[in-house]
Amino acid sequence: MPEIELVNFGEIWTVTGPIIITGIILIFVAVISLAILRNMKKGLIKELVKIGIIVGIAAVTIISFQITSIIWGQ
């Protein structure tokens, strides 16, 4: 009886490749963001920068996932 392959590891790599690359990019952006926040004094500007970083990380996630998916799919 021939073996039936339910999961093809090539397909798993095709799907998870962009997710892994996006995760690496997010770690890099988070480290830079934390370095920036540690050097700032407490106050209104620091709070605004925190909000900007949250929005920036969300934008970087969406953009990097789209770019890596397009490149990965070709």
Side-chain angles (χ1 to χ4, degrees):
M1 205 169 162
E3 291 184 26
I4 298 174
E5 189 174 330
L6 296 176
V7 177
N8 182 358
F9 289 105
E11 292 175 5
I12 292 174
W13 178 246
T14 302
V15 172
T16 58
I19 296 170
I20 292 169
I21 294 171
T22 300
I24 292 168
I25 293 170
L26 283 178
I27 290 170
F28 184 71
V29 170
V31 168
I32 292 172
S33 299
L34 287 174
I36 291 171
L37 282 176
R38 285 186 182 170
N39 292 330
M40 295 184 75
K41 296 179 182 177
K42 292 183 180 179
L44 179 64
I45 294 183
K46 186 172 183 175
E47 296 301 319
L48 292 174
V49 169
K50 284 182 183 179
I51 294 170
I53 286 174
I54 292 170
V55 172
I57 287 176
V60 165
T61 302
I62 293 169
I63 292 169
S64 68
F65 188 69
Q66 287 179 346
I67 291 172
T68 55
S69 294
I70 290 169
I71 293 171
W72 204 264
Q74 293 182 355

